[in-house]
Amino acid sequence: TSPFFPGARAALDALRAQDWTLLAVATGKSKRGLDKLIEGYGLHGYFQSHQTADHHPSKPHPAMVQAALSETGVAAERAVMIGDTTFDMDMARAAGVKTIGVSWGYHPAEQLTADETIEDFADLIPAIDRLLGAPA
């Protein structure tokens, strides 16, 4: 029942097409709930790591991000958390990861205090490139 916001599919497809990018999910949902969303939206194979509330302390504890980094072999300084709550931003910061807040989620954008805030999914890849540096 979670919304699939306009532009989300195109952004995921563009990120997935980048051979230097890995995608992961860190969510307060249960594994069962996440599996249902992945099935419902046809996202099998998009995410290299699925971290759910079933196996970790609640956000903003950094365990979900740390597990995703460990599973993918990505260093914290090369990762970005995209989120719509202050809990997402606090979790990412606690794990040493940069943050991108979105303006259309559960918490108002001005409360997120993210490293970058985007108004549209079309702005996502440029924001990632500003935070991590564009690939060579």
Side-chain angles (χ1 to χ4, degrees), residues 80 100 116-118 122-133:
V80 176
I100 296 176
E116 292 264 350
T117 301
I118 60 171
D123 301 326
L124 181 57
I125 290 176
I128 293 169
D129 290 347
R130 283 190 297 276
L131 290 173
L132 300 181

Side-chain angles (χ1 to χ4, degrees), residues 62-126:
M64 283 193 265
V65 172
Q66 291 166 334
L69 294 171
S70 178
E71 282 186 9
T72 60
V74 173
E77 61 271 9
R78 296 296 308 152
V80 176
M81 173 75 180
I82 300 136
D84 65 347
T85 70
T86 57
F87 307 118
D88 294 329
M89 302 299 109
D90 292 344
M91 177 177 64
R93 280 198 251 340
V97 169
K98 296 210 178 2
T99 58
I100 296 176
V102 299
S103 65
W104 57 84
Y106 288 103
H107 290 169
E110 61 274 5
Q111 290 181 5
L112 299 181
T113 63
D115 295 314
E116 292 264 350
T117 301
I118 60 171
E119 302 286 328
D120 187 280
F121 272 114
D123 301 326
L124 181 57
I125 290 176

Side-chain angles (χ1 to χ4, degrees), residues 8-111:
R9 170 70 64 174
L12 287 170
D13 288 343
L15 289 166
R16 185 179 185 205
Q18 297 177 339
D19 57 2
W20 59 88
T21 299
L22 299 175
L23 299 174
V25 175
T27 180
K29 291 178 177 35
S30 68
K31 181 180 181 327
R32 182 176 173 210
L34 177 59
D35 289 347
K36 185 176 178 181
L37 287 174
I38 287 172
E39 176 72 27
Y41 290 119
L43 297 174
H44 288 289
Y46 275 70
F47 305 100
Q48 283 68 48
S49 180
H50 301 166
Q51 303 304 320
T52 63
D54 299 323
H55 304 105
H56 298 286
S58 296
K59 296 176 185 180
H61 193 283
M64 283 193 265
V65 172
Q66 291 166 334
L69 294 171
S70 178
E71 282 186 9
T72 60
V74 173
E77 61 271 9
R78 296 296 308 152
V80 176
M81 173 75 180
I82 300 136
D84 65 347
T85 70
T86 57
F87 307 118
D88 294 329
M89 302 299 109
D90 292 344
M91 177 177 64
R93 280 198 251 340
V97 169
K98 296 210 178 2
T99 58
I100 296 176
V102 299
S103 65
W104 57 84
Y106 288 103
H107 290 169
E110 61 274 5
Q111 290 181 5

